[in-house]
Amino acid sequence: MSSRPRIRKAVFPVAGLGTRFLPATKAVPKEMLTVVDRPVIQHVVDEARAAGIEHLVFVTGRGKAVIEDHFDIHFELDRTLADRKKDKELAALKADLPAAGMTSFTRQQAPLGLGHAVWCARDIVGNEPFALLLPDMLHHGKKGCLAEMIEAYDAHAGNHIAVAPVPEEDAHQYGIVGVEDAKAKVSRITKMVEKPAKGTAPSNLHITGRYILQPEIFTLLETQERGAGGEIQLTDSMIRLSKTAGQVFHAVRFDGAIYDTGSKLGFLTANIAYALERGDLAGPLKAEIEKLLK
Ligand code: G1P
């Protein structure tokens, strides 16, 4: 066992407007759209809980109250399921329900960027290293991405960012890192840049939306100026944490599949991929797809 503080808390920035998915997201938060029969945010919370996270911190915004309801008990529903002897469904709801006191919700009042959303969680996280999971990005592998990152954190001190290769023509849409050893599972980061101009990316490794960060990031976020896209960027504060505060950043390569459910294509692909892994759906779904493709 390492003597480092354990990663107990995970932050989920869920205040985004979901404009890429209108009109679906006009009245329903994009995080509540479903991949098969679980909301996107539930899949990401599943990943965090499988990694041993004990406290879930949601940074929400106006129109997102249904996320809070989703992670609360629903007495009438439980009662109805019990009366109808729907024991399996009831047990599944109970298994998903976070324990009392295990969730916190705070609001990002204005859409000022990811860095600002993370900063909104500062008082709830306090002075301990924490995990950050961007709910749009579903990470699907044999082992959960955050579980792999916590293993890397236990072995190496500092901050950790999940990365994966991305086609060169898409690099300008992401944070990109340069590393000491691009083939290693865990490697020290030598460079970070948020949304590099075409042709200037330091490598093909993009930041996939899973982080383990030291709490000093909050002090830097407080004074972070606007960066790419006119937003307060998390990456810019991570660069300062590494350059001015001398903190080490590691890239942890994720080898599973990653689906950007904030894009229509990513969302549809995730639904098919997750459904094809379900014993109750794979066979009939394949048959339907074959019919459609004929
Ligand atoms: C954010 C991060 C970026 C990362 C991306 C992953 O960008 O700033 O570094 O690569 O998430 O989805 P956004 O998608 O908010 O523009």
Side-chain angles (χ1 to χ4, degrees):
M1 279 295 283
S2 89
S3 56
R4 293 192 184 97
R6 281 196 314 117
I7 307 298
R8 300 187 315 114
K9 298 181 182 174
V11 175
F12 303 88
V14 291
L17 296 175
T19 47
R20 286 191 288 170
F21 235 111
L22 284 168
T25 48
K26 189 176 169 198
V28 176
K30 61 176 174 168
E31 298 80 9
M32 291 303 294
L33 300 181
T34 58
V35 168
V36 189
D37 48 12
R38 293 172 89 64
V40 166
I41 185 65
Q42 180 72 63
H43 285 286
V44 183
V45 163
D46 292 346
E47 179 190 333
R49 293 187 70 176
I53 292 296
E54 294 166 8
H55 196 102
L56 314 168
V57 183
F58 298 89
V59 181
T60 74
R62 283 183 298 285
K64 301 275 183 163
V66 69
I67 297 178
E68 206 162 327
D69 292 339
H70 178 76
F71 290 104
D72 194 5
I73 200 158
H74 190 328
F75 285 113
E76 294 87 346
L77 178 60
D78 286 4
R79 180 63 198 267
T80 308
L81 290 173
D83 287 350
R84 294 185 183 169
K85 307 260 176 296
K86 299 234 172 221
D87 298 339
K88 224 173 91 196
E89 288 79 1
L90 191 56
L93 285 186
K94 280 205 172 128
D96 285 343
L97 185 69
M102 190 184 168
T103 52
S104 294
F105 298 85
T106 188
R107 280 192 180 202
Q108 184 188 23
Q109 295 163 334
L112 298 178
L114 176 60
H116 179 259
V118 174
W119 182 70
C120 291
R122 66 200 178 281
D123 280 347
I124 303 174
V125 172
N127 191 28
E128 56 182 277
F130 62 100
L132 168 67
L133 298 96
L134 307 192
D136 277 354
M137 305 298 271
L138 284 188
H139 288 58
H140 196 51
K142 278 196 199 89
K143 194 166 187 176
C145 181
L146 188 63
E148 285 189 353
M149 293 180 72
I150 289 180
E151 260 176 32
Y153 165 83
D154 285 341
H156 313 269
N159 302 269
H160 294 261
I161 303 177
V163 301
V166 72
E168 199 184 328
E169 63 270 22
D170 295 337
H172 66 283
Q173 300 172 29
Y174 297 98
I176 302 287
V177 303
V179 294
E180 277 178 357
D181 179 357
K183 292 206 180 87
K185 176 79 186 167
V186 183
S187 178
R188 274 175 87 132
I189 292 179
T190 52
K191 204 161 187 212
M192 290 184 249
V193 46
E194 182 65 21
K195 311 215 165 66
K198 281 195 180 165
T200 67
S203 83
N204 71 340
L205 294 175
H206 79 298
I207 298 175
T208 68
R210 299 292 182 272
Y211 310 75
I212 289 175
L213 295 170
Q214 298 297 321
E216 289 78 19
I217 194 81
F218 292 123
T219 320
L220 297 173
L221 284 170
E222 192 158 358
T223 56
Q224 185 60 55
E225 286 171 7
R226 289 171 188 249
E231 296 193 339
I232 297 173
Q233 295 289 353
L234 175 66
T235 306
D236 293 343
S237 281
M238 296 196 302
I239 294 168
R240 288 164 70 207
L241 191 55
S242 116
K243 282 204 176 141
T244 54
Q247 287 207 17
V248 174
F249 277 78
H250 290 97
V252 183
R253 260 184 92 111
F254 183 67
D255 295 320
I258 298 172
Y259 304 100
D260 179 0
T261 63
S263 89
K264 289 174 186 112
L265 188 62
F267 176 79
L268 294 169
T269 312
N271 264 289
I272 295 170
Y274 279 62
L276 287 175
E277 290 195 348
R278 289 260 302 247
D280 56 336
L281 289 170
L285 178 61
K286 264 188 212 155
E288 290 299 329
I289 293 174
E290 272 160 24
K291 261 197 257 165
L292 287 172
L293 293 178
K294 253 187 206 153

